Amino acid sequence: MAIQLSLREIVKDLKDQHVLEEWRGEWAIAFLFRVPSQLFVWVFLRLGWTPLMVTGLGFVLSLIMPALAVWLPLTLAVWSVVILGALFQILDCADGTLARATGRSSVFGADMDYLVGMFHYICIYASVGLIADRYLETGTFWALMGVVAVAGRLLARLVREQIKKRIGEGPPGPFRMSDLPGAFVSGLSGLIPFGVLAGSYTSWVIVALLVYSVMDIVDAFVPMRHSPYRDL
């Protein structure tokens, strides 16, 4: 039986600590996608969908994105990347809210959400590159550069998680003004789908993603300057 919650009850999830933390490093997602995702949750509840079904839908959207970027007429391909990229982010917000609202949070669901999220970034980076290649008639060069960029981002993520295993993860400290530039740059990742709207300049979006990837890797290794790594 579908769980019936009012939209007002669902919106209370915006005050969840996990959601509030998005404003520190994922402001674009919090601002553009988190709020509309609440309406999607309201619909999913009435359809009787589970959080895992929502995650699965996000996986399907990510899977078809590169294909549409290649096969559709260029204008439609551009908008398909924008729309599917935005829809994925909404669904990625919605599945967590749905899990918390229905008490269906699980280790399996969390891990699937994590893996689908990584898969999505591979697809969106490649899709942006494919659009750039179509504008510039460069074969698959920019698509490959996109894959290199996302590989760097995933490496940085794995490094951070490995470091957390060694030093643990305490509660986040207070937000300082000195954190603002880093938080702003970090939050830009939520705008990646809109990069294809740059037209013939989309290749510069890939260049920016490559630079961002290098910065992300360097930042991920910074904690190794401190204990317990410096104790060796």
Side-chain angles (χ1 to χ4, degrees):
M1 181 178 177
I3 298 175
Q4 301 297 317
L5 295 175
S6 68
L7 186 57
R8 178 177 295 182
E9 291 174 304
I10 294 169
V11 169
K12 290 179 181 178
D13 187 67
L14 294 176
K15 297 180 180 180
D16 184 84
Q17 187 61 38
H18 169 76
V19 175
L20 293 175
E21 281 298 312
E22 284 184 336
W23 288 98
R24 297 183 63 153
E26 298 179 307
W27 60 266
I29 291 176
F31 181 70
L32 294 175
F33 308 119
R34 175 62 66 178
V35 173
S37 74
Q38 308 299 296
L39 181 58
F40 278 70
V41 172
W42 183 85
V43 173
F44 291 140
L45 281 172
R46 277 142 187 81
L47 293 175
W49 280 36
T50 66
L52 197 58
M53 292 169 68
V54 178
T55 302
L57 178 58
F59 172 78
V60 172
L61 295 183
S62 299
L63 185 64
I64 65 176
M65 188 188 305
L68 296 181
V70 171
W71 293 334
L72 287 179
L74 184 54
T75 300
L76 290 177
V78 167
W79 283 106
S80 71
V81 172
V82 173
I83 293 171
L84 293 184
L87 277 175
F88 175 87
Q89 296 292 4
I90 290 173
L91 294 175
D92 193 40
C93 293
D95 59 6
T97 299
L98 187 60
R100 289 186 290 272
T102 59
R104 290 176 172 171
S105 299
S106 67
V107 173
F108 180 73
D111 285 347
M112 289 304 298
D113 182 60
Y114 174 83
L115 294 172
V116 169
M118 290 200 297
F119 178 75
H120 168 74
Y121 274 102
I122 295 172
C123 292
I124 188 65
Y125 273 61
S127 296
V128 174
L130 288 168
I131 295 297
D133 284 323
R134 293 188 65 181
Y135 272 114
L136 301 176
E137 299 181 352
T138 46
T140 59
F141 174 78
W142 289 109
L144 291 174
M145 291 299 97
V147 171
V148 170
V150 75
R153 292 294 309 280
L154 296 180
L155 172 61
R157 188 168 184 172
L158 291 173
V159 169
R160 288 190 177 95
E161 290 174 356
Q162 183 63 26
I163 290 175
K164 286 179 184 177
K165 292 179 181 179
R166 303 301 182 196
I167 65 177
E169 183 181 19
F175 188 83
R176 302 183 298 270
M177 288 302 297
S178 59
D179 297 328
L180 189 59
F184 175 78
V185 173
S186 178
L188 291 174
S189 60
L191 302 178
I192 292 174
F194 303 104
V196 294
L197 297 175
S200 58
Y201 294 98
T202 304
S203 59
W204 286 101
V205 175
I206 296 296
V207 172
L209 292 175
L210 285 166
V211 173
Y212 187 93
S213 178
V214 172
M215 294 171 58
D216 203 21
I217 293 172
V218 172
D219 181 69
F221 278 97
V222 167
M224 287 190 173
R225 297 182 304 170
H226 309 295
S227 179
Y229 297 96
R230 297 293 292 177
D231 295 338
L232 297 178

